[in-house]
Amino acid sequence: MNKKSFMVIAWVLVVILGIIIKTLNPTPIWEINAKQFNKSFNVISGNATIDNLSSFTSFEWDTLYSFAPYTPEKVVYQVVGYQWDKINSTVSEGMNQIVFLKEGKVVCYIDGYPDKYKIFFEFGQYTGNHFKLTSSDKLTFHMMVTDGEIRKFNYVK
């Protein structure tokens, strides 16, 4: 076998292995929806008031939770009602921990520092360790676009 044949066979095996890994470990729906949620705001070129956050979601949801910084993972799971995947703890005030649910199942999960999804939510003072909204609540947000192209959403009560 010459070097060129070996390289072709190696490349084909790498591609096949990649397909197998992707099939066995698909991207979770909540991660796909988080990326699409961010992209839905591309139609807005600057600061704006969002009168209905639901009009920017490509997924159906009925409950939204935002968790206060430093909320332990087990508390997030208790509030949400089940453990869906490994989640990341928030280790500073500048991190997101937003969970959208539909009929008790996670359909969108926005976590980490704002540069991950280019989104940051501010709900004001938390009562306890989380803030809860439903799709039937008033869903008005002031959105500011920062220099780093991060969309910061301030909830209007």
Side-chain angles (χ1 to χ4, degrees):
M1 180 183 307
N2 64 28
K3 186 176 179 180
K4 186 176 181 179
S5 297
F6 177 78
M7 293 300 290
V8 169
I9 291 170
W11 183 82
V12 169
L13 290 175
V14 167
V15 169
I16 291 171
L17 182 61
I19 291 169
I20 291 170
I21 290 171
K22 185 70 173 172
T23 303
L24 296 176
N25 191 18
T27 303
I29 190 66
W30 51 83
E31 188 175 321
I32 293 167
N33 285 338
K35 290 176 183 174
Q36 289 176 342
F37 181 63
N38 174 43
K39 288 178 185 175
S40 70
F41 295 99
N42 288 344
V43 297
I44 302 172
S45 61
N47 300 343
T49 297
I50 308 298
D51 290 322
N52 184 1
L53 187 67
S54 291
S55 63
F56 288 89
T57 59
S58 60
F59 51 90
E60 292 185 31
W61 64 279
D62 52 30
T63 307
L64 176 155
Y65 288 104
S66 174
F67 292 91
Y70 312 106
T71 301
E73 294 170 15
K74 70 178 189 169
V75 172
V76 173
Y77 290 138
Q78 287 171 344
V79 170
V80 169
Y82 76 106
Q83 185 171 336
W84 68 94
D85 197 3
K86 170 122 179 58
I87 63 171
N88 299 311
S89 296
T90 52
V91 295
S92 81
E93 282 79 18
M95 296 178 76
N96 285 302
Q97 188 82 288
I98 310 292
V99 181
F100 289 86
L101 300 171
K102 175 67 175 172
E103 297 173 356
K105 299 293 181 193
V106 176
V107 293
C108 183
Y109 175 53
I110 299 169
D111 67 317
Y113 289 102
D115 58 341
K116 180 176 181 182
Y117 293 110
K118 302 294 186 193
I119 293 174
F120 184 74
F121 281 89
E122 181 64 51
F123 290 95
Q125 284 294 89
Y126 287 90
T127 303
N129 55 20
H130 68 278
F131 187 87
K132 178 182 177 182
L133 288 171
T134 67
S135 56
S136 61
D137 288 331
K138 180 182 174 196
L139 299 170
T140 302
F141 289 82
H142 290 301
M143 183 187 82
M144 280 183 11
V145 180
T146 67
D147 290 339
E149 296 300 313
I150 294 172
R151 293 176 175 94
K152 182 177 180 186
F153 295 87
N154 290 306
Y155 180 61
V156 179
K157 295 178 185 176

